[in-house]
Amino acid sequence: MTVGATETAEMPGVLTEIPQVKETARYITSNYSEFEGFPSPLTNGGLNEHGVAARDVWSNSREELWDMTPTDQSGPSYSDLSRIAMERATTARDAVDILGKLINEHGYTTYGGNSHIFADENEGWVFVEFSGGEGLWAAERLSADDIRVSYPGYIQDFPVDAIKGSNPDYVGSPNLLDVAAKQGWWTPGGDTINLQKVYGQEFPTGPFNVGVDADPTDPSPYRNPISLEAELESMDALSLQDMMRLVRDPRWSDDRSGYGQVAELRDDITDSALRTLWVATTASVTAPYIPVMIGTDDVPVEYSQHRYLTAGASANYLSPEYAEQEATEYATQTFKRLMYATCARPKDYLAEVTDAFEGMETSWIRQHEEVIADAQKLYTDGDSKGGAQVLTSLTHETALDGLALGGYLLDDILARSAADGGIHRPDVDVPDGTTASARSLSMELDGATSRDRMNCDLGGGWADGSTADRQGKYGDPANVPDFSANAAKTAANMNGAALLPLWIALSGVAGLGLGAGGLWLLTRRRSA
């Protein structure tokens, strides 16, 4: 398999080949097509048939490590490591061991520092890779009672004895201590090394108290993971719905969010086909969570790859093989449009959009419980084909109903905005000598902070507060409007052909071939 980055990456590298395993696991992921210098399809993790969930999250290394990174760096990238973990890991700890061994043997291609969270039904692990070309990495175990927010990913106090393999809760690259000492960033002698201080950068935002809204001038609001962990600690026992709302929180679910995912890790599942990843196909602030099970055979064509947001598509003609696929409505585009329409006037529309999707998801969660019970019986009876049909039907039904509801909300909001002052015309400077109108100029954002990006944050989340403020009730089906007219438009695709979609991919590969945000992980334990 080919791994790494090219010379066009911000931190250039060279592509290399490493061995693929003979058999890979089936997994659910979201793929995307553009990160400069990193070949697509790219991924940040997902959920595999063994119940290992993963999410890749940025974690900036100190600038001296950036400067040390060679321009011909090689080895697996963040995306390669995410995909390999999904293809090979049978437990969260297994993912750590696999990635650590790969980096030790082949090196690591960085874009500035990165991290992963891996979790199964028993434990979680944080895995951080540092820049510098030295193959530096470290991992920390999380118990069932730990709360960790990777925003960015981090590890603080790391026991020095872990390098010798004598600590069950920490592991790291063999040179983790030596490089720090050689560079003069750390003096040996204590029992621990603070990896965040030694190898990382300060968090983008300083600490803040629970319930305090961010400073309106803060360019990176709420990006202090320790403060967000305290917010979660202040909440009552967390539910699946709480985690869905947390990923949807307008404080961070914005135009940069490619998708939202919640992995539901249960210890009462008797067949791997029943494992579920709840997937919002784009920023979940204005998109519903679709239940996708390992046993789901495919997703509707509307959720497969389209040319919108596919790198390089505008410079090429469409292959006739994809004509009808491209002609269908694209879920990612519909929900992106809904975000732009809603977030342009969030005080007017955000609450009702949230209520509609939460109300629909409440019904889906109940339906999911029933379907899982039915499918579990079929798998137990040896009818795996029947089980897969039940699971696939649920994914198709919820995906198409969610899309129909999104389309209904979009049409309604645009009509109301047009009636209430009209659709906003861009107020931008037209350069001297330009004959094009303001509407025809570049739409590119001049600025890259989260404050600049399109978002629906009303100061501390929704008008009535953050996820913590709103805990206790979730979603009333009565708040779902009648979207039946939109549903009729997509009903014909309920039995669409099996595809390898770009944005929600189901992958399982035998042989030597390749397999096909923030993730929040929730472990649900039930008594027998």
Side-chain angles (χ1 to χ4, degrees), residues 355-361 363 405 408 476-483:
D355 287 347
F357 284 134
E358 286 190 358
M360 174 170 274
E361 289 157 0
S363 299
L405 175 58
Y408 171 89
D476 183 351
N479 290 327
V480 181
D482 181 7
F483 60 94

Side-chain angles (χ1 to χ4, degrees), residues 92-93 96 116-118 123-127 139-141 168-170:
R93 175 56 194 262
V96 169
H116 304 261
I117 277 187
F118 301 112
E123 64 182 8
W125 283 83
V126 176
F127 187 102
E140 175 187 1
R141 178 180 177 271
D169 298 326
Y170 296 86

Side-chain angles (χ1 to χ4, degrees), residues 27-32 42-46 55 83 258-261 277 279-281 502-505:
Y27 62 98
I28 308 163
T29 191
S30 295
N31 286 330
Y32 54 103
L42 297 160
T43 182
N44 300 115
R55 175 55 55 239
R83 192 180 309 280
Y259 45 82
Q261 295 181 358
L277 187 67
V279 181
T281 193
L502 179 68
W503 294 101
I504 302 177

Side-chain angles (χ1 to χ4, degrees), residues 63 182 203 270 273 283 294 328 381 383 452 454 508:
E63 291 190 15
K182 181 180 179 181
F203 297 136
T270 60
I294 291 292
T328 62
D381 293 342
D383 186 4
D452 297 328
M454 198 69 193

Side-chain angles (χ1 to χ4, degrees), residues 27-290:
Y27 62 98
I28 308 163
T29 191
S30 295
N31 286 330
Y32 54 103
S33 66
E34 177 65 20
F35 194 66
E36 188 173 8
F38 291 79
S40 62
L42 297 160
T43 182
N44 300 115
L47 176 70
N48 75 9
E49 65 177 289
H50 302 295
V52 179
R55 175 55 55 239
D56 151 90
V57 185
W58 100 101
S59 178
N60 283 345
S61 300
R62 64 186 297 161
E63 291 190 15
E64 292 92 335
L65 287 173
W66 290 358
D67 296 336
M68 289 168 54
T69 303
T71 57
D72 61 347
Q73 62 173 330
S74 61
S77 70
Y78 75 96
S79 175
D80 299 321
L81 294 174
S82 296
R83 192 180 309 280
I84 288 169
M86 291 291 88
E87 291 176 348
R88 305 182 188 184
T90 57
T91 65
R93 175 56 194 262
D94 192 28
V96 169
D97 292 338
I98 291 169
L99 268 56
K101 183 178 179 181
L102 284 172
I103 293 174
N104 290 344
E105 182 175 355
H106 300 285
Y108 166 62
T109 296
T110 183
Y111 62 81
N114 203 61
S115 73
H116 304 261
I117 277 187
F118 301 112
D120 55 35
E121 64 188 50
N122 297 310
E123 64 182 8
W125 283 83
V126 176
F127 187 102
V128 180
E129 312 102 79
F130 302 98
S131 299
E134 299 286 344
L136 297 167
W137 62 271
E140 175 187 1
R141 178 180 177 271
L142 307 175
S143 72
D145 296 323
D146 287 332
I147 288 178
R148 177 61 59 91
V149 175
S150 287
Y151 196 62
Y154 73 95
I155 296 175
Q156 292 184 319
D157 290 335
F158 182 95
V160 296
D161 64 4
I163 297 303
K164 299 179 180 179
S166 56
N167 192 306
D169 298 326
Y170 296 86
V171 63
S173 59
N175 61 348
L176 190 65
L177 305 180
D178 296 339
V179 172
K182 181 180 179 181
Q183 295 294 328
W185 301 334
W186 172 72
T187 302
D191 293 331
T192 62
I193 176 175
N194 189 313
L195 297 180
Q196 179 65 23
K197 290 184 177 180
V198 171
Y199 283 130
Q201 296 186 18
E202 292 185 3
F203 297 136
T205 298
F208 54 89
N209 295 325
V210 175
V212 174
D213 292 352
D215 182 341
T217 64
D218 187 347
S220 302
Y222 302 105
R223 289 190 174 186
N224 187 297
I226 296 177
S227 294
L228 292 174
E229 289 162 8
E231 180 175 304
L232 285 171
E233 291 279 7
S234 74
M235 297 173 65
D236 295 331
L238 298 174
S239 66
L240 173 64
Q241 292 92 326
D242 290 328
M243 304 309 288
M244 288 177 167
R245 180 175 281 163
L246 194 65
V247 181
R248 176 172 281 146
D249 198 309
R251 290 178 291 173
W252 38 74
S253 183
D254 60 21
D255 201 15
R256 190 178 184 180
S257 303
Y259 45 82
Q261 295 181 358
V262 176
E264 186 179 5
L265 306 176
R266 296 167 51 161
D267 66 351
D268 64 336
I269 295 298
T270 60
D271 194 287
S272 63
L274 307 177
R275 302 188 190 278
T276 304
L277 187 67
W278 295 83
V279 181
T281 193
T282 185
S284 52
V285 67
T286 54
Y289 292 102
I290 310 300

